[in-house]
């Protein structure tokens, strides 16, 4: 089967990678929503705040995933690759998100404790999702 690619082959345009992207979006969205709830903010009643908190993480993840080839067959080719590449990618994405949160464009700020929680909680959700995806979608 032929697969279209963009970005020098770093992103495959296929149903498989679309499914990965949707799962990634859901995992990151759940991470942010749970965080908002734990801080007394209802993301359903405050969608602007939720979007403002979510956006830096999505931007960071999109950049790292595209550059790192996380939306290719190799990105989740094996269970081990899925876990390793996802966790390293998420650490880098959190770094980008924290840099964005340090600006006045987004709510919150860059805090070491939040970065650590983001890496652990968000990383766990993404690694779990991509591990399942690697197992189910492996060729």
């Amino acid at each position: 089967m032929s697969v279209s690619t963009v970005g020098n082959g770093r992103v495959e345009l296929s149903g498989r990678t679309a499914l990965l992207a949707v799962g990634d979006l859901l995992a990151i969205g759940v991470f942010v929503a749970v965080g908002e709830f734990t801080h007394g903010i209802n993301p359903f009643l405050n969608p602007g705040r939720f979007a403002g908190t979510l956006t830096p993480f999505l931007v960071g993840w999109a950049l790292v995933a595209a550059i790192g080839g996380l939306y290719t067959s190799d990105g989740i080719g094996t269970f081990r690759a899925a876990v390793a590449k996802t966790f390293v990618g998420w650490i880098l994405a959190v770094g980008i998100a924290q840099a964005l949160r340090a600006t006045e464009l987004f709510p919150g700020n860059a805090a070491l404790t939040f970065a650590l929680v983001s890496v652990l909680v968000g990383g766990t959700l993404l690694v779990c999702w991509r591990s399942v995806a690697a197992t189910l979608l492996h060729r």
Side-chain angles (χ1 to χ4, degrees), residues 2 18-20 23-26 45 47 60 83 97 115 124 126:
S2 175
L19 178 62
L20 277 176
D24 292 346
L25 176 63
L26 289 173
L45 298 177
V83 169
T124 298
L126 276 170

Side-chain angles (χ1 to χ4, degrees), residues 70-121:
L70 295 177
Y71 290 113
T72 64
S73 296
D74 290 342
I76 61 158
T78 66
F79 180 84
R80 176 176 257 170
V83 169
K85 290 180 180 186
T86 300
F87 197 67
V88 170
W90 182 244
I91 291 169
L92 296 171
V94 167
I96 293 168
Q98 290 299 303
L100 291 172
R101 287 173 54 89
T103 69
E104 293 189 19
L105 296 174
F106 300 99
N109 56 23
L112 180 59
T113 53
F114 181 57
L116 293 174
V117 168
S118 299
V119 166
L120 294 175
V121 177

